[in-house]
Amino acid sequence: MELRQLRYFSAIAKHGSFSKAAEQVFVAQSALSHQLAQLEDELGVRLLHRSRRGVALTEAGRIFLAHATAILRQVDDARASVMNAAGEPSGKVVFGVPHSASNALALPLLQAVQRALPKVELELTEELTGNLVPQLRSGQINLAVLFDDGTLGEFEQTALLDERLSLISPATAADRPVAAVSLQQALALPLILPAHPHGVRPIIESAARAHGLPAPNVVADISSISILRTTMLAGMGHTLLPVMPLQHDLASGALCAVDVTPALTRQLVLCASRHIPLSAAATAVLQLTVTLAQTLCAEGAWRGAAPVADAA
């Protein structure tokens, strides 16, 4: 198996066409087909379905593409690290952000990287936390913000901040609380929550068990922040989330938030693979992200968050 075969296969998968892939990698289409045939012979499986409309990945092809992408990215990272050993960090960094943290972190991070690391190309990918873990494990992404639920021991971890969960309700809901509520009261309300094991769901269920309370009264499992927001605005229920993902609607008065006692918090950690070395560019982005999180907390720009050492 050769690196060029991985590049050729990735190009075909990206474009869905041998002719377009051949143009991208600057080889004849016949040579591309020959190299792919060799790769499939070596693996003993078909990677692509071929038809008059183009090509599509087989199930084996989809699995192999994830590995090929990770391998090629690591090769590029290794090359960039060697070339920039004594100079300014440069190269591409793929950074995973969960849906519920992107509203607070994505834009400030992009702006900070542009200012401080102008030679670094930052690619942000927004995913469910359950999807970020395998991508980080395989090397498809370099860094990811995850929630410390005690299961992240396979990764290098740097704590970013603690974020408090609030009970968030439609402003027009007849049963919306107007002051802080107990955890028992919050759990009894009709709740719209991310599906297990995504986001805050394990934190809420663990808190219920720890205090001997019934499981949350979940009326809808919705792991998309945008759909959850729409569902709440339609009056279908309440949620337990940090305030930042729904900040716009809270500021406009369409939604309202109250504290929960005892407090529910989640800790955000920046994770990297223990087995795949970070490039100089990725290391620089990691350090910048830690500093940025502290700044956003100190300035109050990340509402409901506090530095880990200071969190209640």
Side-chain angles (χ1 to χ4, degrees):
M1 190 179 302
E2 302 177 10
L3 286 177
R4 64 174 175 172
Q5 292 174 329
L6 301 186
R7 294 194 189 280
Y8 295 169
F9 168 67
S10 297
I12 297 168
K14 176 182 178 181
H15 293 286
S17 163
F18 276 83
S19 59
K20 292 180 180 178
E23 291 177 5
Q24 180 188 337
V25 296
F26 304 106
V27 298
Q29 187 172 333
S30 58
L32 198 69
S33 299
H34 177 69
Q35 290 295 328
L36 181 68
Q38 285 191 325
L39 181 60
E40 289 181 322
D41 286 344
E42 181 176 348
L43 294 172
V45 295
R46 294 289 296 274
L47 298 175
L48 299 169
H49 288 301
R50 299 161 178 81
S51 70
R52 292 182 178 179
R53 292 178 295 178
V55 295
L57 291 169
T58 64
E59 180 59 27
R62 283 190 288 271
I63 295 171
F64 187 71
L65 179 61
H67 291 282
T69 301
I71 292 167
L72 293 172
R73 183 160 290 139
Q74 290 170 48
V75 171
D76 291 340
D77 287 347
R79 182 182 295 110
S81 293
V82 171
M83 294 175 64
N84 302 317
E88 187 177 1
S90 66
K92 187 173 185 177
V93 177
V94 185
F95 192 110
V97 186
H99 294 297
S100 60
S102 63
N103 192 38
L105 183 61
L107 179 58
L109 181 58
L110 281 168
Q111 293 171 330
V113 169
Q114 286 184 350
R115 288 192 303 266
L117 303 168
K119 294 184 179 180
V120 171
E121 178 189 354
L122 181 65
E123 178 185 327
L124 290 180
T125 177
E126 185 184 41
E127 293 273 5
L128 296 172
T129 52
N131 297 337
L132 289 173
V133 168
Q135 292 182 39
L136 186 62
R137 183 184 294 132
S138 69
Q140 290 177 264
I141 58 179
N142 304 109
L143 298 165
V145 173
L146 299 173
F147 309 125
D148 186 5
D149 59 359
T151 65
L152 302 178
E154 65 182 292
F155 302 120
E156 296 287 349
Q157 303 171 48
T158 304
L160 291 179
L161 50 82
D162 281 350
E163 198 171 25
R164 185 184 296 267
L165 308 189
S166 296
L167 177 69
I168 303 176
S169 308
T172 57
D175 58 351
R176 75 171 181 87
V178 296
V181 296
S182 69
L183 178 60
Q184 183 174 8
Q185 290 172 314
L187 295 176
L189 288 168
L191 295 174
I192 305 166
L193 296 177
H196 191 87
H198 300 297
V200 300
R201 188 66 170 269
I203 296 171
I204 297 167
E205 293 179 345
S206 177
R209 290 192 297 269
H211 291 87
L213 298 173
N217 176 25
V218 179
V219 296
D221 294 298
I222 300 177
S223 297
S224 162
I225 291 295
S226 62
I227 300 176
L228 186 149
R229 168 187 174 272
T230 302
T231 307
M232 288 186 64
L233 291 174
M236 292 186 62
H238 313 254
T239 195
L240 283 164
L241 280 178
V243 295
M244 282 303 293
L246 299 166
Q247 178 58 29
H248 176 76
D249 294 295
L250 289 166
S252 72
L255 299 176
C256 55
V258 298
D259 291 337
V260 177
T261 305
L264 296 175
T265 61
R266 67 178 183 183
Q267 185 171 112
L268 277 68
V269 293
L270 186 54
C271 294
S273 172
R274 290 187 181 276
H275 310 293
I276 303 172
L278 287 178
S279 65
T283 299
V285 171
L286 185 154
Q287 295 169 346
L288 183 62
T289 305
V290 173
T291 302
L292 176 62
Q294 295 170 349
T295 300
L296 293 174
C297 286
E299 295 178 348
W302 195 319
R303 289 191 55 201
V308 172
D310 300 335

